[in-house]
Amino acid sequence: MKKDKLLQGHKQIGKRFVTPMNQLPNFRSARYVDDMLPELIWVALMIDRIDYVPAARQFESFCKIAIDALDEQRSGFAFASTYGAASDDEKSELVRKLDAAGLLEDVRESIGPLNRLYPTSPLAFIGMAEAESDDCLFTMEDCVGRFINKHETPGIVLNGMILTSELITETISFSAEMDLPDFNSVLTDPDSDSAKHAGGFLRAHALSSFGFCELDSKWARDFWNRNLELYKCDFETSSHD
Amino acid sequence: MTDTSDDPFDAFVRGYHEVVLSGFRERRDHIQREVYENHIPEAVGGLLARQCTLSLELSQAPAMWNGHIAPLILRSQVDAHITISWVLEDLAERTLKYIHYGLGQEKLFIEYLEASQRDEGADDNDPDLEMLIKARKSWLNAQLADWATDVNVGSWSGKSVREMARETGRESDYRFAYVPFSGPVHNMWQHVGIYNVRWCRNPMHKFHRTADVFEAPLSADYMYRSSKYLSQTFLRFDDKLEFDSNHQLPIDFFVEHGPTDYSTDEPVEEFSEPSER
């Protein structure tokens, strides 16, 4: 019987075996939890508050207004740092247009905990609704816990919001002949093969889009380190201390 | 062992010592006595004694039957097993190679000591250092004059441990014992990342780890493995040197008499990792 070759697809360079992905020229890996989740957490908060479909509509409306308000920006509308990098005028314009469209209070309600608890939130300029700090702590913890696994439905949907933003802002389009997965199955039949196919597609697309944006990691670092201040560790084992 | 207490664990340790030492002595006596080519009985017998010592020391120290310490002993045992197995394939040449490598390492260490002595200055020589150098030189020169001792800074056998294991038909020992136990020996992350950090389950901290010192669960399985590696060495010896033992193997003694209640139920945190990122 022929033996399976170990580390198939890897390329030996000196004493290292390089993965197929790392052999790709200019490939830059992106980390979902470390870097992408802090950028997407504001969208996750929308979903957490009003559920998937209404949140998707709210997010679509937000993106349509944003592409109009942010003159220079043409991509990355799902990522918080995109808005943080906008000029003061663009930020004011975005707030004004959200208000005019009747969206501002709703968005503030959703992302309020983020702006209240994280002083360096890139979306701080949007402001916040009134809420108790304890509620905000609970809301954030619940939200992160729900969306932290990119293989479960909330995480897949969150990854999918990147594609949604690109379709709305017309920074991506698919040929009519292209055989796209059934994205609805992620919600309607999450355990199906179809949902797994769609989930894989959305995660892979999110990773490449995120890498393409080359966002500064400052906000991601701020977000996680702020959590160390806000929340206590939860250890399973006891130490000698 | 002079302890005669009725404690079952003490009884196990006493019995294990008897089995190991009787197994060792009968094999040592089987090696042809030879004082002209004395490197063969010295190297093979010495390695066999080393293998026994490692297992005996572990047997009487159940506090070390944990993931922090036991792998250090077990890796050394697997190493000893591979070395003995490889040496047994060509006793005359390989025992000499083994000894000459050790003498070369000793010569190099003496050179380091002498250099350090020179750096300190001739006027204020440390008498303890002087004595140490003298004693080590004496040990070296009693076997091979230092001017005739080559220093080999590569592998003693000229081969990697993996190659040695492969040549003796035991590459599985290398893959499934030597490699995993090398992590703790060299303090690498695959060990430290489990035994020297605690995983925080709070998603708000993105499941970070905090360095900490904590007790690892005890498990008699480590001692079982120790008895297994020693038994494998005995069996390899018996096979290559055509010896029939009259004594029980250490592994059989352990299975019959070894403690079974030294296993704690709590797994270490390696089994409770968060999902892939």
PDB file of all heavy atoms in Angstrom, chain B residues 90-108:
ATOM      1  N   ASP B  90      26.672  -2.698  15.814  1.00  0.00           N
ATOM      2  CA  ASP B  90      28.093  -2.820  15.465  1.00  0.00           C
ATOM      3  C   ASP B  90      28.907  -2.467  16.717  1.00  0.00           C
ATOM      4  O   ASP B  90      29.420  -1.353  16.854  1.00  0.00           O
ATOM      5  CB  ASP B  90      28.428  -1.873  14.305  1.00  0.00           C
ATOM      6  CG  ASP B  90      29.863  -2.034  13.843  1.00  0.00           C
ATOM      7  OD1 ASP B  90      30.636  -2.742  14.510  1.00  0.00           O
ATOM      8  OD2 ASP B  90      30.213  -1.434  12.806  1.00  0.00           O
ATOM      9  N   LEU B  91      28.964  -3.421  17.582  1.00  0.00           N
ATOM     10  CA  LEU B  91      29.527  -3.154  18.917  1.00  0.00           C
ATOM     11  C   LEU B  91      30.946  -2.593  18.899  1.00  0.00           C
ATOM     12  O   LEU B  91      31.232  -1.590  19.554  1.00  0.00           O
ATOM     13  CB  LEU B  91      29.512  -4.442  19.741  1.00  0.00           C
ATOM     14  CG  LEU B  91      28.179  -4.797  20.383  1.00  0.00           C
ATOM     15  CD1 LEU B  91      28.251  -6.187  21.007  1.00  0.00           C
ATOM     16  CD2 LEU B  91      27.815  -3.767  21.443  1.00  0.00           C
ATOM     17  N   ALA B  92      31.797  -3.207  18.137  1.00  0.00           N
ATOM     18  CA  ALA B  92      33.214  -2.829  18.197  1.00  0.00           C
ATOM     19  C   ALA B  92      33.417  -1.375  17.788  1.00  0.00           C
ATOM     20  O   ALA B  92      34.089  -0.608  18.494  1.00  0.00           O
ATOM     21  CB  ALA B  92      34.028  -3.758  17.306  1.00  0.00           C
ATOM     22  N   GLU B  93      32.841  -1.023  16.657  1.00  0.00           N
ATOM     23  CA  GLU B  93      33.093   0.330  16.137  1.00  0.00           C
ATOM     24  C   GLU B  93      32.277   1.398  16.868  1.00  0.00           C
ATOM     25  O   GLU B  93      32.776   2.472  17.211  1.00  0.00           O
ATOM     26  CB  GLU B  93      32.768   0.363  14.646  1.00  0.00           C
ATOM     27  CG  GLU B  93      33.216   1.655  14.004  1.00  0.00           C
ATOM     28  CD  GLU B  93      32.766   1.761  12.555  1.00  0.00           C
ATOM     29  OE1 GLU B  93      32.791   0.732  11.850  1.00  0.00           O
ATOM     30  OE2 GLU B  93      32.370   2.878  12.159  1.00  0.00           O
ATOM     31  N   ARG B  94      31.020   1.109  17.111  1.00  0.00           N
ATOM     32  CA  ARG B  94      30.131   2.157  17.640  1.00  0.00           C
ATOM     33  C   ARG B  94      30.350   2.443  19.128  1.00  0.00           C
ATOM     34  O   ARG B  94      30.110   3.566  19.575  1.00  0.00           O
ATOM     35  CB  ARG B  94      28.676   1.799  17.344  1.00  0.00           C
ATOM     36  CG  ARG B  94      28.398   1.860  15.850  1.00  0.00           C
ATOM     37  CD  ARG B  94      26.993   1.468  15.476  1.00  0.00           C
ATOM     38  NE  ARG B  94      26.833   1.554  14.022  1.00  0.00           N
ATOM     39  CZ  ARG B  94      25.724   1.223  13.374  1.00  0.00           C
ATOM     40  NH1 ARG B  94      24.680   0.786  14.037  1.00  0.00           N
ATOM     41  NH2 ARG B  94      25.677   1.337  12.057  1.00  0.00           N
ATOM     42  N   THR B  95      30.757   1.436  19.873  1.00  0.00           N
ATOM     43  CA  THR B  95      31.042   1.723  21.285  1.00  0.00           C
ATOM     44  C   THR B  95      32.258   2.653  21.379  1.00  0.00           C
ATOM     45  O   THR B  95      32.304   3.564  22.208  1.00  0.00           O
ATOM     46  CB  THR B  95      31.324   0.433  22.082  1.00  0.00           C
ATOM     47  OG1 THR B  95      32.256  -0.361  21.354  1.00  0.00           O
ATOM     48  CG2 THR B  95      30.062  -0.351  22.334  1.00  0.00           C
ATOM     49  N   LEU B  96      33.218   2.411  20.476  1.00  0.00           N
ATOM     50  CA  LEU B  96      34.416   3.255  20.482  1.00  0.00           C
ATOM     51  C   LEU B  96      34.064   4.692  20.086  1.00  0.00           C
ATOM     52  O   LEU B  96      34.521   5.671  20.692  1.00  0.00           O
ATOM     53  CB  LEU B  96      35.421   2.667  19.481  1.00  0.00           C
ATOM     54  CG  LEU B  96      36.897   2.971  19.725  1.00  0.00           C
ATOM     55  CD1 LEU B  96      37.307   2.571  21.144  1.00  0.00           C
ATOM     56  CD2 LEU B  96      37.765   2.202  18.711  1.00  0.00           C
ATOM     57  N   LYS B  97      33.227   4.804  19.079  1.00  0.00           N
ATOM     58  CA  LYS B  97      32.777   6.122  18.615  1.00  0.00           C
ATOM     59  C   LYS B  97      32.068   6.874  19.741  1.00  0.00           C
ATOM     60  O   LYS B  97      32.281   8.067  19.948  1.00  0.00           O
ATOM     61  CB  LYS B  97      31.796   5.879  17.459  1.00  0.00           C
ATOM     62  CG  LYS B  97      31.716   6.966  16.449  1.00  0.00           C
ATOM     63  CD  LYS B  97      30.777   6.541  15.333  1.00  0.00           C
ATOM     64  CE  LYS B  97      31.449   6.699  13.994  1.00  0.00           C
ATOM     65  NZ  LYS B  97      30.556   6.484  12.875  1.00  0.00           N
ATOM     66  N   TYR B  98      31.218   6.152  20.433  1.00  0.00           N
ATOM     67  CA  TYR B  98      30.443   6.720  21.542  1.00  0.00           C
ATOM     68  C   TYR B  98      31.384   7.248  22.626  1.00  0.00           C
ATOM     69  O   TYR B  98      31.227   8.377  23.122  1.00  0.00           O
ATOM     70  CB  TYR B  98      29.513   5.629  22.085  1.00  0.00           C
ATOM     71  CG  TYR B  98      28.837   5.944  23.394  1.00  0.00           C
ATOM     72  CD1 TYR B  98      27.737   6.795  23.441  1.00  0.00           C
ATOM     73  CD2 TYR B  98      29.290   5.383  24.585  1.00  0.00           C
ATOM     74  CE1 TYR B  98      27.113   7.078  24.649  1.00  0.00           C
ATOM     75  CE2 TYR B  98      28.676   5.659  25.788  1.00  0.00           C
ATOM     76  CZ  TYR B  98      27.586   6.509  25.818  1.00  0.00           C
ATOM     77  OH  TYR B  98      26.982   6.783  27.008  1.00  0.00           O
ATOM     78  N   ILE B  99      32.370   6.445  22.980  1.00  0.00           N
ATOM     79  CA  ILE B  99      33.300   6.843  24.051  1.00  0.00           C
ATOM     80  C   ILE B  99      34.197   7.992  23.589  1.00  0.00           C
ATOM     81  O   ILE B  99      34.387   8.978  24.317  1.00  0.00           O
ATOM     82  CB  ILE B  99      34.132   5.629  24.514  1.00  0.00           C
ATOM     83  CG1 ILE B  99      33.229   4.704  25.342  1.00  0.00           C
ATOM     84  CG2 ILE B  99      35.344   6.069  25.345  1.00  0.00           C
ATOM     85  CD1 ILE B  99      33.863   3.410  25.770  1.00  0.00           C
ATOM     86  N   HIS B 100      34.701   7.901  22.380  1.00  0.00           N
ATOM     87  CA  HIS B 100      35.602   8.962  21.902  1.00  0.00           C
ATOM     88  C   HIS B 100      34.890  10.310  21.788  1.00  0.00           C
ATOM     89  O   HIS B 100      35.481  11.356  22.040  1.00  0.00           O
ATOM     90  CB  HIS B 100      36.213   8.563  20.549  1.00  0.00           C
ATOM     91  CG  HIS B 100      37.343   7.595  20.716  1.00  0.00           C
ATOM     92  ND1 HIS B 100      38.023   7.024  19.653  1.00  0.00           N
ATOM     93  CD2 HIS B 100      37.911   7.076  21.831  1.00  0.00           C
ATOM     94  CE1 HIS B 100      38.963   6.217  20.115  1.00  0.00           C
ATOM     95  NE2 HIS B 100      38.903   6.223  21.427  1.00  0.00           N
ATOM     96  N   TYR B 101      33.638  10.262  21.421  1.00  0.00           N
ATOM     97  CA  TYR B 101      32.881  11.523  21.359  1.00  0.00           C
ATOM     98  C   TYR B 101      32.795  12.145  22.753  1.00  0.00           C
ATOM     99  O   TYR B 101      33.018  13.344  22.937  1.00  0.00           O
ATOM    100  CB  TYR B 101      31.472  11.281  20.819  1.00  0.00           C
ATOM    101  CG  TYR B 101      30.640  12.542  20.765  1.00  0.00           C
ATOM    102  CD1 TYR B 101      30.714  13.405  19.672  1.00  0.00           C
ATOM    103  CD2 TYR B 101      29.786  12.894  21.817  1.00  0.00           C
ATOM    104  CE1 TYR B 101      29.972  14.569  19.627  1.00  0.00           C
ATOM    105  CE2 TYR B 101      29.045  14.062  21.775  1.00  0.00           C
ATOM    106  CZ  TYR B 101      29.136  14.891  20.678  1.00  0.00           C
ATOM    107  OH  TYR B 101      28.404  16.049  20.643  1.00  0.00           O
ATOM    108  N   GLY B 102      32.484  11.307  23.735  1.00  0.00           N
ATOM    109  CA  GLY B 102      32.373  11.797  25.117  1.00  0.00           C
ATOM    110  C   GLY B 102      33.695  12.360  25.619  1.00  0.00           C
ATOM    111  O   GLY B 102      33.724  13.398  26.289  1.00  0.00           O
ATOM    112  N   LEU B 103      34.787  11.684  25.260  1.00  0.00           N
ATOM    113  CA  LEU B 103      36.100  12.173  25.695  1.00  0.00           C
ATOM    114  C   LEU B 103      36.408  13.516  25.025  1.00  0.00           C
ATOM    115  O   LEU B 103      36.973  14.418  25.655  1.00  0.00           O
ATOM    116  CB  LEU B 103      37.180  11.138  25.346  1.00  0.00           C
ATOM    117  CG  LEU B 103      37.067   9.793  26.082  1.00  0.00           C
ATOM    118  CD1 LEU B 103      38.156   8.823  25.602  1.00  0.00           C
ATOM    119  CD2 LEU B 103      37.153   9.970  27.599  1.00  0.00           C
ATOM    120  N   GLY B 104      36.039  13.637  23.761  1.00  0.00           N
ATOM    121  CA  GLY B 104      36.257  14.908  23.047  1.00  0.00           C
ATOM    122  C   GLY B 104      35.470  16.046  23.685  1.00  0.00           C
ATOM    123  O   GLY B 104      35.966  17.166  23.830  1.00  0.00           O
ATOM    124  N   GLN B 105      34.235  15.749  24.094  1.00  0.00           N
ATOM    125  CA  GLN B 105      33.416  16.769  24.757  1.00  0.00           C
ATOM    126  C   GLN B 105      34.046  17.187  26.086  1.00  0.00           C
ATOM    127  O   GLN B 105      34.036  18.363  26.452  1.00  0.00           O
ATOM    128  CB  GLN B 105      31.998  16.231  25.002  1.00  0.00           C
ATOM    129  CG  GLN B 105      31.184  16.019  23.739  1.00  0.00           C
ATOM    130  CD  GLN B 105      30.915  17.326  23.008  1.00  0.00           C
ATOM    131  OE1 GLN B 105      30.297  18.229  23.538  1.00  0.00           O
ATOM    132  NE2 GLN B 105      31.421  17.444  21.786  1.00  0.00           N
ATOM    133  N   GLU B 106      34.594  16.211  26.782  1.00  0.00           N
ATOM    134  CA  GLU B 106      35.246  16.507  28.056  1.00  0.00           C
ATOM    135  C   GLU B 106      36.482  17.376  27.829  1.00  0.00           C
ATOM    136  O   GLU B 106      36.740  18.333  28.572  1.00  0.00           O
ATOM    137  CB  GLU B 106      35.622  15.184  28.745  1.00  0.00           C
ATOM    138  CG  GLU B 106      36.197  15.339  30.126  1.00  0.00           C
ATOM    139  CD  GLU B 106      35.204  15.903  31.139  1.00  0.00           C
ATOM    140  OE1 GLU B 106      34.012  15.980  30.827  1.00  0.00           O
ATOM    141  OE2 GLU B 106      35.649  16.294  32.235  1.00  0.00           O
ATOM    142  N   LYS B 107      37.220  17.034  26.770  1.00  0.00           N
ATOM    143  CA  LYS B 107      38.421  17.823  26.464  1.00  0.00           C
ATOM    144  C   LYS B 107      38.034  19.276  26.156  1.00  0.00           C
ATOM    145  O   LYS B 107      38.691  20.220  26.617  1.00  0.00           O
ATOM    146  CB  LYS B 107      39.142  17.205  25.264  1.00  0.00           C
ATOM    147  CG  LYS B 107      40.370  17.978  24.824  1.00  0.00           C
ATOM    148  CD  LYS B 107      41.068  17.255  23.691  1.00  0.00           C
ATOM    149  CE  LYS B 107      42.081  18.162  23.010  1.00  0.00           C
ATOM    150  NZ  LYS B 107      42.858  17.426  21.997  1.00  0.00           N
ATOM    151  N   LEU B 108      36.974  19.438  25.409  1.00  0.00           N
ATOM    152  CA  LEU B 108      36.517  20.783  25.066  1.00  0.00           C
ATOM    153  C   LEU B 108      36.118  21.560  26.323  1.00  0.00           C
ATOM    154  O   LEU B 108      36.446  22.743  26.473  1.00  0.00           O
ATOM    155  CB  LEU B 108      35.317  20.682  24.108  1.00  0.00           C
ATOM    156  CG  LEU B 108      34.751  21.975  23.546  1.00  0.00           C
ATOM    157  CD1 LEU B 108      35.809  22.725  22.733  1.00  0.00           C
ATOM    158  CD2 LEU B 108      33.535  21.698  22.664  1.00  0.00           C
TER     159      LEU B 108
END
